[in-house]
Amino acid sequence: MELGFLKPLFARPGPWASVYIETTRATEDGAKVQELRERAIAGQLIDAGADAYTTRAVMDRLANEPVSGTPPGRAVFATGAEVVLDLPLTVPPPAGRATWSLLPHVAPLAGLRGDVPTCLVAYIDRTGADLELREGHRRAALGQANGKEWQGRGHRGTPADRHEWHYRNKVENTWNETADVIVDELVRQWPESGADLLILTGDPRERRAVHNRLPERVLAVTVEAESGSRSAGASTAGLDREIDQACERFGQERLRRTLERFHIGRGKPGQHRESSVDTGPGEAAEGVPAVVDAARKHQMATLLLAPDASDGGRQVWIGPGVDEVAVQRGEARAMGVPKPEQARADDAVLRAAAAADCDVLLVPEGMRGPAGGLGAVLRWTL
């Protein structure tokens, strides 16, 4: 999960109301069920000490949930009588939950938002390509790449065999030139798109011509889809399935590679004492002290978080600055924080990770991840 969308939360002081609520209304009494859910959320906020104005802002936002087209769930973050961030969730929360805390409680998002890669999709035919950016369920057109207008024979045939060779050669050159135009446009847009995967779909021959011309750095994250067409009104059901499968494979492979780096970095001889995984330099950090230290130094490349991580709920000491986080109160004061306050370790580390443009990966249950559920692969080591 990329964390840039969380930055508005950490730019404002708390305390924060953080709400996770299921919003599905699949049953006949769906409206009544939703009313009970919202009432329970209001009760939790009041019991936690939230002020009446912020509680009202949250309830007003939840009351405006549309009846149709609702996501499985929502996460709402509010402070100072204002909802600052309202996010659709791809997975319904197991139970409605509302907290009132110094930092927004963002850690559950790793399991509820889903780690769906962003895809740049190219719909290709012999005349060019339509480009589209997919971010989960959101789609945005990114323009077109148009080659030379292809001229077919129409109703007139070629009178002699020698003309047939020239005709076919001209068509082949036109296809190649169009493929070059498409590749140039893809390479130009790729860095700014923020995409993780490039999906090529459309006419097989032209699709393959584009694939063969891509530079290595893009080719490594390119997938050809058999379904899909540039034609107006073409069905997207088959293409959607192929993209979902490609995204799942991409996510699994990214997690596998990251965990491999983590275990290698953690297990280097002499880098960590056997008596504790919380101390010692290396290419990986594991446990609250080591991860907090890496967060403070902006060393984290990827934060690893397990569902219901026991280390995530440990209290650490923080200041107003995003990298002002320490395990001990005295340590925070030594950093120049005059009045350190306590916060959950996972939320404090995620605040620092968002500021440093760090990624977060959720380690599923049953997969060997960091002890205590909190770890990181580092950008650099001392």
Side-chain angles (χ1 to χ4, degrees), residues 316-343:
V316 295
W317 294 90
I318 66 168
V322 293
D323 55 358
E324 292 176 341
V325 53
V327 175
Q328 302 294 332
R329 185 177 186 179
E331 185 183 5
R333 282 182 170 172
M335 292 162 47
V337 180
K339 294 182 179 179
E341 297 182 85
Q342 286 190 302

Short mmCIF file of all heavy atoms in Angstrom, two decimals, residues 316-343:
data_model
loop_
_atom_site.label_atom_id
_atom_site.label_comp_id
_atom_site.label_asym_id
_atom_site.label_seq_id
_atom_site.Cartn_x
_atom_site.Cartn_y
_atom_site.Cartn_z
N VAL A 316 4.42 4.09 22.23
CA VAL A 316 5.70 4.78 22.04
C VAL A 316 5.45 6.26 22.35
O VAL A 316 4.32 6.69 22.58
CB VAL A 316 6.25 4.61 20.61
CG1 VAL A 316 6.58 3.16 20.34
CG2 VAL A 316 5.24 5.14 19.57
N TRP A 317 6.52 7.04 22.36
CA TRP A 317 6.43 8.46 22.68
C TRP A 317 6.67 9.28 21.42
O TRP A 317 7.61 9.00 20.66
CB TRP A 317 7.44 8.82 23.76
CG TRP A 317 7.12 8.16 25.07
CD1 TRP A 317 7.57 6.94 25.51
CD2 TRP A 317 6.28 8.68 26.10
NE1 TRP A 317 7.05 6.66 26.74
CE2 TRP A 317 6.27 7.70 27.14
CE3 TRP A 317 5.55 9.85 26.26
CZ2 TRP A 317 5.54 7.88 28.32
CZ3 TRP A 317 4.83 10.03 27.43
CH2 TRP A 317 4.82 9.06 28.44
N ILE A 318 5.83 10.28 21.19
CA ILE A 318 5.93 11.06 19.97
C ILE A 318 5.88 12.56 20.26
O ILE A 318 5.44 12.99 21.34
CB ILE A 318 4.79 10.72 18.98
CG1 ILE A 318 3.44 11.15 19.55
CG2 ILE A 318 4.80 9.25 18.62
CD1 ILE A 318 2.31 11.11 18.54
N GLY A 319 6.33 13.33 19.28
CA GLY A 319 6.18 14.78 19.29
C GLY A 319 5.38 15.19 18.07
O GLY A 319 4.91 14.33 17.30
N PRO A 320 5.22 16.47 17.82
CA PRO A 320 4.42 16.91 16.67
C PRO A 320 5.06 16.62 15.32
O PRO A 320 4.36 16.50 14.32
CB PRO A 320 4.29 18.42 16.90
CG PRO A 320 5.43 18.79 17.81
CD PRO A 320 5.66 17.59 18.67
N GLY A 321 6.38 16.51 15.27
CA GLY A 321 7.05 16.21 14.01
C GLY A 321 6.85 14.77 13.59
O GLY A 321 6.82 13.86 14.43
N VAL A 322 6.75 14.52 12.29
CA VAL A 322 6.45 13.18 11.80
C VAL A 322 7.53 12.17 12.15
O VAL A 322 7.25 10.97 12.27
CB VAL A 322 6.23 13.19 10.27
CG1 VAL A 322 4.97 13.96 9.91
CG2 VAL A 322 7.44 13.74 9.53
N ASP A 323 8.76 12.61 12.30
CA ASP A 323 9.84 11.69 12.65
C ASP A 323 10.23 11.77 14.13
O ASP A 323 11.26 11.23 14.53
CB ASP A 323 11.07 11.94 11.77
CG ASP A 323 11.55 13.38 11.82
OD1 ASP A 323 10.91 14.19 12.51
OD2 ASP A 323 12.57 13.68 11.18
N GLU A 324 9.41 12.44 14.93
CA GLU A 324 9.68 12.52 16.37
C GLU A 324 8.97 11.36 17.05
O GLU A 324 7.82 11.45 17.48
CB GLU A 324 9.21 13.87 16.92
CG GLU A 324 10.03 15.03 16.40
CD GLU A 324 9.52 16.39 16.87
OE1 GLU A 324 8.35 16.48 17.30
OE2 GLU A 324 10.30 17.37 16.79
N VAL A 325 9.66 10.25 17.12
CA VAL A 325 9.12 9.03 17.71
C VAL A 325 10.24 8.30 18.44
O VAL A 325 11.36 8.22 17.94
CB VAL A 325 8.47 8.13 16.63
CG1 VAL A 325 9.43 7.85 15.48
CG2 VAL A 325 7.97 6.83 17.22
N ALA A 326 9.94 7.81 19.63
CA ALA A 326 10.95 7.16 20.46
C ALA A 326 10.28 6.11 21.33
O ALA A 326 9.08 6.18 21.63
CB ALA A 326 11.68 8.18 21.33
N VAL A 327 11.07 5.13 21.74
CA VAL A 327 10.54 4.07 22.60
C VAL A 327 10.42 4.57 24.04
O VAL A 327 9.47 4.23 24.75
CB VAL A 327 11.44 2.82 22.52
CG1 VAL A 327 10.97 1.75 23.50
CG2 VAL A 327 11.43 2.26 21.09
N GLN A 328 11.37 5.38 24.49
CA GLN A 328 11.38 5.90 25.85
C GLN A 328 11.05 7.39 25.87
O GLN A 328 11.43 8.13 24.97
CB GLN A 328 12.75 5.66 26.49
CG GLN A 328 13.19 4.20 26.53
CD GLN A 328 12.32 3.35 27.43
OE1 GLN A 328 11.73 3.86 28.41
NE2 GLN A 328 12.23 2.06 27.12
N ARG A 329 10.39 7.82 26.95
CA ARG A 329 10.03 9.23 27.07
C ARG A 329 11.27 10.11 27.13
O ARG A 329 11.34 11.17 26.49
CB ARG A 329 9.19 9.42 28.33
CG ARG A 329 8.66 10.85 28.50
CD ARG A 329 7.78 10.95 29.72
NE ARG A 329 7.16 12.25 29.83
CZ ARG A 329 6.33 12.60 30.79
NH1 ARG A 329 6.00 11.72 31.74
NH2 ARG A 329 5.81 13.82 30.82
N GLY A 330 12.27 9.67 27.88
CA GLY A 330 13.50 10.44 27.99
C GLY A 330 14.21 10.58 26.65
O GLY A 330 14.83 11.61 26.37
N GLU A 331 14.10 9.54 25.83
CA GLU A 331 14.71 9.59 24.50
C GLU A 331 14.03 10.65 23.65
O GLU A 331 14.69 11.38 22.91
CB GLU A 331 14.58 8.22 23.85
CG GLU A 331 15.28 8.08 22.50
CD GLU A 331 15.05 6.72 21.88
OE1 GLU A 331 14.29 5.92 22.45
OE2 GLU A 331 15.63 6.47 20.81
N ALA A 332 12.70 10.75 23.77
CA ALA A 332 11.98 11.77 23.02
C ALA A 332 12.37 13.17 23.47
O ALA A 332 12.54 14.08 22.66
CB ALA A 332 10.47 11.56 23.17
N ARG A 333 12.51 13.35 24.78
CA ARG A 333 12.92 14.65 25.29
C ARG A 333 14.33 15.01 24.81
O ARG A 333 14.62 16.17 24.51
CB ARG A 333 12.87 14.63 26.82
CG ARG A 333 11.45 14.77 27.37
CD ARG A 333 11.45 14.80 28.87
NE ARG A 333 10.14 15.18 29.39
CZ ARG A 333 9.80 15.13 30.67
NH1 ARG A 333 10.70 14.70 31.57
NH2 ARG A 333 8.60 15.49 31.07
N ALA A 334 15.20 14.02 24.76
CA ALA A 334 16.56 14.26 24.28
C ALA A 334 16.57 14.68 22.81
O ALA A 334 17.51 15.35 22.35
CB ALA A 334 17.41 13.01 24.48
N MET A 335 15.52 14.32 22.08
CA MET A 335 15.40 14.71 20.68
C MET A 335 14.89 16.14 20.54
O MET A 335 14.81 16.66 19.43
CB MET A 335 14.44 13.75 19.95
CG MET A 335 14.95 12.34 19.79
SD MET A 335 13.62 11.15 19.42
CE MET A 335 12.73 12.02 18.13
N GLY A 336 14.49 16.75 21.65
CA GLY A 336 14.00 18.12 21.60
C GLY A 336 12.51 18.25 21.68
O GLY A 336 11.96 19.34 21.43
N VAL A 337 11.80 17.16 22.03
CA VAL A 337 10.35 17.22 22.19
C VAL A 337 10.05 17.65 23.63
O VAL A 337 10.31 16.89 24.56
CB VAL A 337 9.70 15.85 21.89
CG1 VAL A 337 8.18 15.94 22.07
CG2 VAL A 337 10.06 15.38 20.48
N PRO A 338 9.48 18.83 23.85
CA PRO A 338 9.30 19.31 25.23
C PRO A 338 8.25 18.53 26.00
O PRO A 338 8.39 18.31 27.20
CB PRO A 338 8.88 20.77 25.04
CG PRO A 338 8.32 20.84 23.66
CD PRO A 338 9.07 19.83 22.86
N LYS A 339 7.18 18.13 25.33
CA LYS A 339 6.10 17.40 26.00
C LYS A 339 5.73 16.16 25.19
O LYS A 339 4.74 16.14 24.45
CB LYS A 339 4.86 18.30 26.16
CG LYS A 339 5.08 19.48 27.09
CD LYS A 339 3.79 20.29 27.23
CE LYS A 339 4.00 21.46 28.19
NZ LYS A 339 2.75 22.28 28.33
N PRO A 340 6.50 15.09 25.32
CA PRO A 340 6.19 13.87 24.59
C PRO A 340 4.83 13.31 25.01
O PRO A 340 4.43 13.40 26.17
CB PRO A 340 7.32 12.91 24.99
CG PRO A 340 8.40 13.79 25.52
CD PRO A 340 7.71 14.95 26.16
N GLU A 341 4.13 12.73 24.05
CA GLU A 341 2.84 12.09 24.32
C GLU A 341 2.87 10.67 23.75
O GLU A 341 3.64 10.36 22.84
CB GLU A 341 1.70 12.89 23.70
CG GLU A 341 1.57 14.29 24.27
CD GLU A 341 0.39 15.04 23.68
OE1 GLU A 341 -0.73 14.86 24.18
OE2 GLU A 341 0.61 15.79 22.70
N GLN A 342 1.98 9.82 24.28
CA GLN A 342 2.00 8.42 23.87
C GLN A 342 1.06 8.17 22.70
O GLN A 342 0.02 8.81 22.56
CB GLN A 342 1.60 7.52 25.05
CG GLN A 342 2.70 7.40 26.10
CD GLN A 342 2.38 6.34 27.13
OE1 GLN A 342 1.36 6.40 27.80
NE2 GLN A 342 3.26 5.35 27.26
N ALA A 343 1.44 7.21 21.87
CA ALA A 343 0.64 6.79 20.73
C ALA A 343 0.96 5.33 20.42
O ALA A 343 1.98 4.80 20.87
CB ALA A 343 0.92 7.67 19.51
#
